[in-house]
């Protein structure tokens, strides 16, 4: 819903459909305006319902924001699981993420901007947005499990920090390509950024022995 856009009709009014519509609209507004510059009434209006009606679905703006962001992270988790769960090689995982992540980004920047907003709010108020941090952890777990499988295979040193390495894998692609996607003035420029990161990934994989020693030194 957040990663893949859906054309929805404002005429839908079943409870579930109204809730899904609110989530879609809220994702766009939170991405464009941030958490604090948009009101629940504005979100309700953009979704074609009255302001008070939104409370039938969400008790507060923070609750709506949490659900939108957690949905986004859950969708990312599913996308990453599909490509990484069958693998036991970090190098192959890097290559697959190189193909997967750019395809997830939307031209309207919703995924990229919402992700940045989520990170900031979770840091500013970790207690209120603990659910967001937990959803992000579940997403990182996909890559962490891959690293653990690669450790058992011998591709990654046995004393490496799997949690840090797996989380860094996700951050590398989400952060680097998300930033470049937002700053690219045209699609061709973003494609060039993708190829630049692809080149870095190839460099990292050129010498397996050197790579293992480097990881071991860094994470020791």
């Amino acid at each position: 819903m957040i990663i893949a856009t859906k054309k929805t009709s404002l005429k839908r009014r079943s409870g579930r459909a109204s809730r899904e519509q609110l989530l879609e609209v809220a994702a766009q507004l939170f991405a464009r305006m941030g958490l604090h510059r948009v009101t629940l009434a504005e979100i309700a209006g953009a979704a074609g319902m009255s302001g008070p009606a939104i409370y039938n679905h969400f008790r507060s703006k923070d609750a709506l924001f949490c659900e939108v962001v957690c949905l986004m992270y859950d969708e990312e988790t599913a996308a990453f699981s599909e490509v990484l769960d069958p693998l036991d090689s970090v190098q192959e995982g890097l290559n697959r993420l190189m193909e997967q992540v750019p395809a997830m980004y939307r031209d309207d920047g919703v995924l990229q901007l919402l992700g940045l907003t989520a990170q900031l709010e979770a840091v500013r108020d970790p207690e209120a947005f603990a659910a967001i941090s937990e959803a992000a952890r579940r997403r990182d777990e996909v890559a962490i499990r891959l690293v653990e499988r690669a450790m058992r295979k011998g591709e990654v040193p046995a004393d490496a920090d799997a949690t840090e390495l797996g989380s860094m894998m996700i951050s590398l692609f989400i952060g680097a390509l998300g930033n470049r996607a937002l700053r690219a003035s045209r699609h061709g420029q973003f494609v060039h950024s993708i190829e630049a990161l692809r080149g870095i990934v190839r460099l990292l994989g050129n010498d397996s022995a050197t790579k293992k020693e480097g990881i071991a030194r860094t994470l020791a």
Side-chain angles (χ1 to χ4, degrees), residues 13-208:
R13 279 297 175 266
S14 71
R16 180 174 180 178
S18 295
R19 185 182 183 86
E20 289 179 354
Q21 189 168 293
L22 279 169
L23 289 168
E24 293 172 23
V25 169
Q28 296 173 30
L29 292 178
F30 285 139
R32 292 205 311 266
M33 302 176 66
L35 174 61
H36 303 291
R37 292 179 57 209
V38 64
T39 66
L40 279 178
E42 289 170 332
I43 294 170
M49 64 177 62
S50 65
I54 199 170
Y55 290 100
N56 293 328
H57 303 280
F58 301 99
R59 69 181 184 275
S60 67
K61 185 170 66 171
D62 283 358
L64 173 55
F65 179 71
C66 270
E67 183 148 349
V68 166
V69 173
C70 288
L71 175 61
M72 175 188 69
Y73 282 145
D74 287 346
E75 290 180 353
E76 290 181 344
T77 298
F80 293 148
S81 293
E82 183 176 356
V83 299
L84 296 184
D85 282 351
L87 306 177
D88 59 6
S89 165
V90 169
Q91 184 60 44
E92 181 61 22
L94 292 172
N95 292 332
R96 294 295 298 274
L97 286 175
M98 193 69 256
E99 299 170 358
Q100 176 73 20
V101 173
M104 293 164 54
Y105 287 131
R106 291 167 42 164
D107 291 340
D108 58 12
V110 166
L111 182 65
Q112 301 92 300
L113 290 169
L114 187 59
L116 290 172
T117 301
Q119 292 175 49
L120 288 172
E121 295 302 334
V123 170
R124 288 169 176 163
D125 196 340
E127 184 175 346
F129 298 118
I132 290 177
S133 297
E134 175 61 21
R137 185 198 63 77
R138 291 195 300 270
R139 180 195 63 183
D140 291 353
E141 275 289 336
V142 178
I144 293 169
R145 291 195 301 269
L146 170 60
V147 173
E148 290 172 344
R149 293 193 296 273
M151 291 170 68
R152 292 193 291 270
K153 179 184 175 183
E155 181 190 47
V156 174
D159 58 350
D161 186 335
T163 298
E164 185 63 24
L165 188 53
S167 298
M168 184 60 68
M169 281 180 63
I170 298 297
S171 297
L172 171 65
F173 288 93
I174 292 292
L177 291 180
N179 176 273
R180 299 310 295 169
L182 286 173
R183 298 180 63 183
S185 59
R186 50 190 173 79
H187 181 69
Q189 185 177 345
F190 181 48
V191 171
H192 187 63
S193 296
I194 294 171
E195 290 307 313
L197 184 55
R198 196 184 303 276
I200 292 173
V201 170
R202 283 196 296 266
L203 287 173
L204 291 173
N206 275 344
D207 187 336
S208 297

